[in-house]
Amino acid sequence: MGVRLMVVDDHRLLAEALASALKLRGHRVLAAAAPSAGAADLVVSRAPEVCLMGTAAPAEPGVFDPVVRIKKERPQVAVVVLGPVPNPRGIAAAFAAGASGYVRHDERIEGVERAMMKARAGEAAIAPALLQQAFEELLHPAAQPDDEGARLLQMLTPREVEVLVRVAEGEDTRLIAAGMGIAPSTARTHVQRVLMKLGVGSRLEAAALAARTGLLDRAAVSNANAAGPQQAPPQ
């Protein structure tokens, strides 16, 4: 039996893509929304069986406040968090807020679907391997935790970073070429190199990976630093 659900993510492109995939698998999607700041109001008013809530920063304070409110006002709604490569604090914060599950953002659609079914049935929807990794990191914390966003950013040239940002904003090859002042064939080559370096097979996957790992935020900071401080005009 299909699940009545909502998909909430700050990146509307990702929310709508996931919603479309789940509709094709026979589930009833009540809404695919962004930004997640208004998630609680929407979920409380629509009362789905399951809410899939995407977040790029599960360890940040307050990120799961909407989950707390949803569980307070609609305790029957099961919330499954879709997050980046998890850290112990992120997983712990999600479950402490009342989430029923945590699924990596790069999980296959079948995995997301299994998590939805388990959450609706009242079970904890988290892969044993994720839980084990979280406990391992808690028991034996790394001196320098892996920062996937920083690692991915180092793999790309400044030009490729700009291309990735434009891809994440939904620009096609023609717009990328026009915005960067390059030929469409050159833009296409840049896009292919970005996909290859990130190890993904589509622009949508690249946008999802960039959003979930915080790569886009890091790229903005990197670009700002590269530009340097702006000098005040002479008096």
Side-chain angles (χ1 to χ4, degrees):
M1 183 184 298
V3 177
R4 272 179 43 254
L5 70 131
M6 291 176 56
V7 183
V8 181
D9 196 294
D10 281 336
H11 297 273
R12 182 175 295 277
L13 179 66
L14 307 183
E16 292 179 349
L18 180 56
S20 296
L22 291 170
K23 282 180 182 178
L24 291 175
R25 299 179 74 86
H27 300 287
R28 182 185 173 194
V29 180
L30 302 181
S36 58
D41 291 333
L42 196 57
V43 175
V44 167
S45 66
R46 302 297 295 273
E49 292 177 299
V50 175
C51 172
L52 297 177
M53 183 173 293
T55 177
E60 284 190 5
V63 72
F64 294 124
D65 287 351
V67 181
V68 174
R69 184 184 161 203
I70 290 168
K71 296 306 293 184
K72 180 180 179 181
E73 300 189 29
R74 295 285 187 179
Q76 74 277 18
V77 175
V79 179
V80 176
V81 173
L82 303 177
V85 177
N87 60 56
R89 290 183 182 179
I91 292 178
F95 279 93
S100 300
Y102 189 108
V103 179
R104 284 179 55 151
H105 69 87
D106 55 357
E107 177 63 73
R108 296 174 64 89
I109 191 67
E110 293 85 359
V112 175
E113 191 173 35
R114 283 194 298 270
M116 287 165 37
M117 304 299 283
K118 291 184 70 173
R120 185 176 66 172
E123 302 175 36
I126 180 170
L130 286 186
L131 205 53
Q132 182 178 356
Q133 290 170 12
F135 277 113
E136 282 294 325
E137 189 174 334
L138 283 172
L139 292 172
H140 307 288
Q144 294 182 332
D146 180 42
D147 187 331
E148 190 176 9
R151 179 177 61 80
L152 292 174
L153 187 60
Q154 291 177 352
M155 296 168 55
L156 304 176
T157 67
R159 205 81 193 247
E160 290 166 349
V161 170
E162 182 180 353
V163 168
L164 177 59
V165 171
R166 291 178 179 276
V167 166
E169 291 174 349
E171 293 188 8
D172 59 18
T173 302
R174 180 180 56 81
L175 287 176
I176 292 173
M180 296 179 66
I182 58 179
S185 59
T186 303
R188 193 173 300 109
T189 298
H190 281 315
V191 170
Q192 290 303 317
R193 284 178 179 168
V194 169
L195 299 185
M196 181 183 67
K197 287 186 177 182
L198 296 183
V200 296
S202 70
R203 296 180 182 218
L204 180 60
E205 288 181 81
L209 182 61
R212 299 300 187 201
T213 59
L215 198 159
L216 295 179
D217 293 333
R218 287 186 172 276
V221 172
S222 177
N223 289 340
N225 291 338
Q230 302 219 345
Q231 294 183 351
Q235 299 294 326

